[in-house]
Amino acid sequence: NAGVTQTPKFQVLKTGQSMTLQCAQDMNHEYMSWYRQDPGMGLRLIHYSVGAGITDQGEVPNGYNVSRSTTEDFPLRLLSAAPSQTSVYFCASRGGHQPTGTDTQYFGPGTRLTVL
Amino acid sequence: AQSVTQLGSHVSVSEGALVLLRCNYSSSVPPYLFWYVQYPNQGLQLLLKYTSAATLVKGINGFEAEFKKSETSFHLTKPSAHMSDAAEYFCAVSTDTGRRALTFGSGTRLQVQP
């Protein structure tokens, strides 16, 4: 049971380039989410999904797209990278078929992205 | 809407001393509260969570936290700090309404001096 996995671990992009951050979980969790972590700001929610085919915006969605075609995978796309998107990105998932607020959320190891 | 405030971005204690990390929350509905720990270059790991069953919650590695509704607080404590406790700690809140996502505080970096 690998839990939540993310690839790549590190990435350097030039302004305007696009890329996809991969996230997968093998716990059959319905709820998945993406956060970005910036110094002194904690983690902020970018997008989330409550199941395959269902996604919604979080606090800071601009510049990012997501899709959820399977329960296991939840990729995050940067269409045109900007220096303001330099950050550490975490994917998370939690179980339960009812979206309660008590479920433990499991985090991946993170992707450190630098945009030049 | 919900929010979390962590007082003190950096806390330094001596090995063996009491650890106290402060967290205050704001929520218009009954909250669920979490403490996560992040070791350098790693993801977040759950320390403990409050889900309304008991106000004093015990977690891993000897940490505990007490939910105080009157003070809207959920402070994290450990009686005796170990060097291995040096990490960043995040308090988070979620609810059963809205996005049901975690809202995080800005984090507290704990240093443990020998």
Side-chain angles (χ1 to χ4, degrees), chain A residues 31 35 37 40-43 45 48 57-59 90 94 99-109 112, chain B residues 32 34 36 38 41-44 46 49 51 88 90 94-96 98-107:
Chain A
Y31 190 105
Y35 293 85
Q37 182 181 23
M41 302 188 75
L43 280 76
L45 183 67
Y48 68 101
Q57 297 181 349
E59 301 172 64
F90 288 99
R94 71 163 189 246
T100 72
T102 63
D103 292 332
T104 297
Q105 197 149 206
Y106 297 90
F107 286 82
R112 190 174 296 271
Chain B
Y32 304 116
F34 303 76
Y36 280 85
Q38 184 182 32
N41 300 314
Q42 295 187 24
L44 278 72
L46 181 70
K49 63 180 179 180
T51 59
E88 189 152 22
F90 293 94
S94 72
T95 67
D96 273 342
R99 296 193 188 105
R100 302 175 179 88
L102 289 172
T103 299
F104 284 86
S106 56

Side-chain angles (χ1 to χ4, degrees), chain A residues 43-103:
Chain A
L43 280 76
R44 293 180 292 167
L45 183 67
I46 304 172
H47 285 285
Y48 68 101
S49 168
V50 298
I54 307 170
T55 64
D56 205 346
Q57 297 181 349
E59 301 172 64
V60 289
N62 293 341
Y64 308 95
N65 279 356
V66 292
S67 60
R68 184 99 179 267
S69 56
T70 67
T71 299
E72 293 78 19
D73 300 299
F74 190 43
L76 178 72
R77 297 184 189 83
L78 284 71
L79 298 179
S80 178
S84 61
Q85 294 178 304
T86 294
S87 187
V88 182
Y89 291 85
F90 288 99
C91 180
S93 75
R94 71 163 189 246
H97 293 281
Q98 294 298 323
T100 72
T102 63
D103 292 332

Side-chain angles (χ1 to χ4, degrees), chain B residues 3-56:
Chain B
S3 66
V4 172
T5 302
Q6 291 185 242
L7 297 176
S9 58
H10 288 82
V11 171
S12 182
V13 301
S14 299
E15 192 173 18
L18 172 71
V19 175
L20 171 60
L21 304 183
R22 300 178 186 274
C23 172
N24 289 89
Y25 70 91
S26 173
S27 175
S28 57
V29 297
Y32 304 116
L33 294 157
F34 303 76
W35 275 100
Y36 280 85
V37 60
Q38 184 182 32
Y39 298 103
N41 300 314
Q42 295 187 24
L44 278 72
Q45 178 183 0
L46 181 70
L47 272 179
L48 50 81
K49 63 180 179 180
Y50 166 75
T51 59
S52 76
T55 56
L56 182 61

